[in-house]
Amino acid sequence: MARTTFRLRCDAGIDAFAAQECREGLERLYGSDLWREDAEWTVSLSRKPDLPPEGYRLSGAPGSISVEAADDRGLLYGVYAFLRRAALGEEFSALKETAVPAAARRMLDHWDNVDGSIERGYAGASLFFRDGRLSYDPERIKDYARLLASVGVNHISLNNVNVRGGALRLITDDMLPEVAALAGLLRPFGLRLILSVHFDSPMLLGGLSTADPCDTKVSAWWQETAERVYRYIPDLSGFLVKADSEFQNGPASFGRTQADGANTIARALSPYGGMVFWRCFVYLCTQDWRDTVTDRPMAAYDHFHSLDGRFDDNVMLQIKNGPMDFQPREPLSPLFGAMPRTRQALEVQLTQEYTGQQIDLYALPVQWQEIFSSPITGERVLRDLIGQEVGGVSGVANVGDEENWTGHTLAQCNLYAFGRMAWDPSLTARQIVEEWVKLTFGRDPRLTEPLIAMMLSSRNTYEKYTAPLGIGWMVNISHHYGPNVEGYEYSPWGTYHRADWQAIGIDRTRGGTGYAAQYHPDVERLYSDLTTCPEELLLFFHRLPYTYPLQNGKTLLQHIYDTHFEGVEEVRGFVKTWESLRELLPESAYESVARKLALQLANAREWRDVVNTYFYRKTGKPDEHGRPIHK
Amino acid sequence: MARTTFRLRCDAGIDAFAAQECREGLERLYGSDLWREDAEWTVSLSRKPDLPPEGYRLSGAPGSISVEAADDRGLLYGVYAFLRRAALGEEFSALKETAVPAAARRMLDHWDNVDGSIERGYAGASLFFRDGRLSYDPERIKDYARLLASVGVNHISLNNVNVRGGALRLITDDMLPEVAALAGLLRPFGLRLILSVHFDSPMLLGGLSTADPCDTKVSAWWQETAERVYRYIPDLSGFLVKADSEFQNGPASFGRTQADGANTIARALSPYGGMVFWRCFVYLCTQDWRDTVTDRPMAAYDHFHSLDGRFDDNVMLQIKNGPMDFQPREPLSPLFGAMPRTRQALEVQLTQEYTGQQIDLYALPVQWQEIFSSPITGERVLRDLIGQEVGGVSGVANVGDEENWTGHTLAQCNLYAFGRMAWDPSLTARQIVEEWVKLTFGRDPRLTEPLIAMMLSSRNTYEKYTAPLGIGWMVNISHHYGPNVEGYEYSPWGTYHRADWQAIGIDRTRGGTGYAAQYHPDVERLYSDLTTCPEELLLFFHRLPYTYPLQNGKTLLQHIYDTHFEGVEEVRGFVKTWESLRELLPESAYESVARKLALQLANAREWRDVVNTYFYRKTGKPDEHGRPIHK
């Protein structure tokens, strides 16, 4: 095959960094000896002020490729898009794409602690911190920044939302110089920093006797702090705040509303263009399990929806996708669509806290596609709100300092997918997984087709062998890996299935806790009616007897048995598929994923046996097909 | 009341320390102004070589009290016995007691770590260690030594049987000078030190490539170590070893027997008169819950009994009272009586790991009385073996650096009782609790009678609101406080109840796992026959349906409901009793115990509701008396 050759033409005023990324990217793809004055292809980078911010236009013609954008960041995204298409083997002369991100803020949230540990991290230690200070390899940070920018991520939240110990001091003169240096490394890649701050900082750092957001000393303290922080990092995106949540203080501790709390900090950041990202993960985490009135999924809506319109314009409410907490299956949070006069961000979780901890294979774009397709009304789905009131998409990062970034090599796809989907929520899981597989392992269909199929089925498989029908939470306490059917049943965390000898689940219709009534009437009807409620969410919304017949005629109990037997067989299938691909894969990737799959198979077996035995012991009813269930 | 006056007469050769303890003890009881040449009472301390080691004789006559012993330690114990009787208000002239300890080794085992923490400690930090070194207040150590000696304890094992980190180095030149200094503080009180050592020390400290006990380099290493340790502490009692147990290595790791392991270390200690205390807590802690053949309580017997006669004379096998692990109710370990040619020590647990963690009131002497009365054959009970093959009684300490020693003031009684019962296992719980209450709070019967009754009932109450009928283990994992009925049900720890919709328990008769056959045939028959098996152990030995009728005609299920409702009411009774005693108690003791009782009541309620709900959800059968059970 003849060598592909290029020359690069940059208009005056073109960012040198984008040109350099283009040059280096092409060299990575085609080798360094590709530049010719009489090249086969001329790549032109140019400004087009009529394009929207961050947008780009790619167009190809015989012998020429054009990348146009209105701003530096758009040009960089255009260059990466061109490189991606080149790596995918697309025909240059047929290139024709105008792309604009759906969400202006595409944020990757790190839950990194300054001691180097990562809350819910499964890929090694922090890329950023060690022993209480910023500490990193600048080259690795640049690689990471390129990784994120290449899929359109434009914000990094640096530290854990649970702000503890030394992390409090990230906004002090002690640590800001280090933070500013890191911001400088990220800046060329279009990445802006967000810092997680503690709501009680005025007390914990400022020595004030209160953090009451309506106290003038407190607002003055936040103003001084903002002035200081922006002196070091003029383009800081803002502060992320977890308040009134899981034993962290917040405005409620001082008798104030969530809006009071968020606005006080927002007004301090406003002169500098900074935002407050205010998490809505507010619920009673000291519930009495005997209390059948309080219903945890109702909490965020109850705390926030009546405040619509009361938040300043530079406050963005950051709302987890579901009303519980990143379970494999939840309905969409009813806050989406319920606060049209409030800026919102969708928060999803890349790190696989409840979804296999980067041991089990779990392709998240499958779940995200469903989330973006979840109904807001009878006509609109979440995807329609992105770029409207939902101006941000944030994801809890799944990366650490392991060589393959994500612990499980195939979990890299989730990082890739997050950026791609935050940019364009209309992309399907199939498109994204296919892109990632081809970019990562090449385009041999003997490899790509089985691998794509395996990854696309992985979420469904995981769901089969874990908690059934949207009920969630049947996990071991604290660390959240592996089965424990009653692990959270008598706990204070508000997560109950109340399984007895005849039935399981919570009735969340108007006749029950009333949770379903938090949705638009169209959606409430959908979920409340047993005949229209999506079966995979059945036990989220309804309490049903084990004898309840599902659409395929099986009883609920037999469905539990069947899915758990099937789940393990499907993981066995993954193992076989992976083995069959051995010759087509780099050895290190093959070996590391094979090790993960062996652990996943053990985990799936444990889930199957514990869940089946649990329900057998409760009901006394054996499997209709006589498969072994341990007594 | 006229002042009681004394003069003290010491025979030539009498230990000055015993005389001083006598003098100071009397001054504490009667004030310092009590010495008169024409005193009411003459106390004579004298030697009587015909008395057995450590024994003493007290005798009173008008105007005179005589304390006689063959050795210094006996004299000290005689002095303390006299002081105890004085404090109890006994008539001096009627004193008449010859006492000899039943067990030669009465050992309090500390699970203290060198960082100052205590494994399963509920009374503050270590009395001995801080930040990796010995660190203590010598006056507090002397008080503690007096406390122990006054009830006859004569050995202290200093450090956690799980030997980790810096504790490895207690037997090196680095730390031995400090250990020797502590031994010097304890020595006058007749207390000898034991050190817990790691079986892998030859590798971990000595740099050898093996710890194989049959390797000559390994035995040489132990010999050098013994020589070194005894150079610093000539009266060290010996080494305590937890080997082949809960992820700690042992002889089995090298294909050797437990006897090989113990004897190698014992031969190194032998020239110095040292002993090896070798724990028998060996079991499979990575069991598959699906495995219904392996039965954890069988493990110690299976590992040890065939080695009877193979242990050197200076090896003492240290055997937990029950075959499981310090549950509130277990049968006696079948190893007792099964190894007549092997020296044994009984190990009980003072620290309330599974018995309320010094929050809940739990008078252990009640349980110990039962343990000493447990059958070995149809004719003999454990008590009959003490001083025979069972030459030692060891107890895991319940003390820490809290001001009241034991966290819960009333838990001091367990420390008192341990010494008293190890000395004389024929003492009843009633006698001991009465002594302790009177010595601690005085002899007003308005106080003593209700308090003694409350303490004596506390074990039964705790049992009522926790796991029923000897089944054990329905606790939260790891920390072991509070209810979790299925907490250990699918775990690798070998602790299963296998409750289903109709029955609960493991059949441990010959028809089941065969555990009962490890006992003498008389005892096997007793436990295997449903009509003779003590009801409180019913679910330890049998799997029974919830409909099984107990002796009082109640079903097993109704018994569970009843006892759990009763347990909470009894704790409410404790709270009321304690409140009624307020005026008769020192305020600080009143307040601190009142706080504990409030926590205990909350714990009892939680147990009641979780256990009752669990069985209701499993069976669908309500309480016959219509009391509320949460659905």
Side-chain angles (χ1 to χ4, degrees), chain A residues 289-290 486 489-490 498-501 605-606 609-610 613-614 616-620 630, chain B residues 289-290 486 489-490 498-501 605-606 609-610 613-614 616-620 630:
Chain A
W289 60 269
R290 304 164 190 84
E486 299 213 339
E489 196 52 22
Y490 299 93
R498 304 190 194 279
D500 66 17
W501 76 103
R605 282 188 61 238
E606 191 68 9
D609 289 347
V610 169
T613 294
Y614 177 88
Y616 173 74
R617 287 186 181 175
K618 215 129 203 169
T619 62
H630 296 269
Chain B
W289 60 270
R290 303 164 190 84
E486 299 212 338
E489 196 50 24
Y490 299 93
R498 304 190 194 280
D500 65 18
W501 76 103
R605 283 187 61 236
E606 191 68 10
D609 289 347
V610 169
T613 294
Y614 177 88
Y616 173 74
R617 287 186 183 176
K618 216 128 203 171
T619 62
H630 295 270

Side-chain angles (χ1 to χ4, degrees), chain B residues 374-396:
Chain B
S374 295
I376 301 293
T377 68
E379 282 82 42
R380 302 170 79 202
V381 298
L382 176 63
R383 190 180 293 110
D384 304 318
L385 306 191
I386 308 295
Q388 309 298 319
E389 64 247 46
V390 183
V393 179
S394 69
V396 183

Side-chain angles (χ1 to χ4, degrees), chain B residues 42-281:
Chain B
T42 301
V43 182
S44 313
L45 308 187
S46 52
R47 289 274 193 186
K48 270 282 167 335
D50 61 313
L51 281 165
E54 297 193 310
Y56 62 83
R57 185 183 298 136
L58 288 188
S59 44
S64 80
I65 301 140
S66 155
V67 183
E68 299 167 310
D71 53 26
D72 290 348
R73 212 180 277 173
L75 201 68
L76 195 61
Y77 296 141
V79 164
Y80 290 136
F82 161 57
L83 292 170
R84 176 168 61 240
R85 288 168 179 278
L88 287 168
E90 295 190 16
E91 179 60 51
F92 291 158
S93 57
L95 285 180
K96 191 168 179 57
E97 179 193 17
T98 305
V100 180
R105 286 182 169 76
R106 304 172 300 282
M107 308 176 273
L108 202 64
D109 290 2
H110 289 264
W111 286 357
D112 293 20
N113 301 312
V114 295
D115 64 3
S117 65
I118 302 179
E119 181 155 330
R120 310 299 176 189
Y122 313 106
S126 172
L127 287 170
F128 305 116
F129 297 105
R130 199 73 77 236
D131 299 329
R133 313 297 303 188
L134 272 287
S135 172
Y136 49 80
D137 169 2
E139 289 309 310
R140 187 116 211 247
I141 295 298
K142 280 189 216 164
D143 285 346
Y144 184 52
R146 180 177 297 112
L147 207 60
L148 298 188
S150 74
V151 293
V153 171
N154 64 0
H155 291 69
I156 287 183
S157 178
L158 192 61
N159 60 307
N160 190 355
V161 290
N162 291 313
V163 183
R164 303 189 189 99
L168 280 161
R169 305 180 53 75
L170 285 169
I171 52 174
T172 65
D173 287 315
D174 173 30
M175 294 190 73
L176 276 166
E178 299 173 30
V179 179
L182 178 66
L185 278 179
L186 302 173
R187 191 171 289 116
F189 295 92
L191 286 160
R192 294 172 66 186
L193 275 186
I194 298 169
L195 293 173
S196 293
V197 299
H198 198 298
F199 184 81
D200 282 345
S201 295
M203 297 195 291
L204 300 171
L205 285 176
L208 301 186
S209 59
T210 179
D212 179 353
C214 299
D215 186 296
T216 53
K217 288 192 298 301
V218 169
S219 48
W221 188 88
W222 283 112
Q223 285 157 23
E224 287 159 29
T225 298
E227 191 278 324
R228 178 173 59 248
V229 170
Y230 278 88
R231 205 176 337 117
Y232 286 99
I233 312 161
D235 63 347
L236 186 84
S237 176
F239 289 162
L240 173 58
V241 190
K242 176 179 182 176
D244 285 320
S245 178
E246 295 183 337
F247 312 109
Q248 301 233 40
N249 257 355
S253 314
F254 304 96
R256 308 299 179 181
T257 69
Q258 299 297 311
D260 294 330
N263 292 344
T264 291
I265 305 178
R267 280 163 205 170
L269 302 185
S270 174
Y272 313 97
M275 296 279 293
V276 166
F277 305 93
W278 189 262
R279 293 179 92 231
C280 296
F281 191 48

Side-chain angles (χ1 to χ4, degrees), chain A residues 107 368 486 536 599 608:
Chain A
M107 309 175 272
W368 295 336
E486 299 213 339
E536 63 273 14
L599 293 172
R608 175 196 66 192

Side-chain angles (χ1 to χ4, degrees), chain B residues 574-618:
Chain B
F574 294 171
V575 172
K576 286 207 185 102
T577 298
W578 192 250
E579 284 170 358
S580 76
L581 304 177
R582 181 166 202 161
E583 302 304 314
L584 305 168
L585 287 160
E587 190 175 328
S588 66
Y590 174 78
E591 293 292 347
S592 78
V593 173
R595 278 194 298 274
K596 298 277 186 179
L597 286 170
L599 293 172
Q600 180 176 6
L601 182 56
N603 187 41
R605 283 187 61 236
E606 191 68 10
W607 270 98
R608 175 196 67 193
D609 289 347
V610 169
V611 170
N612 284 351
T613 294
Y614 177 88
F615 286 104
Y616 173 74
R617 287 186 183 176
K618 216 128 203 171

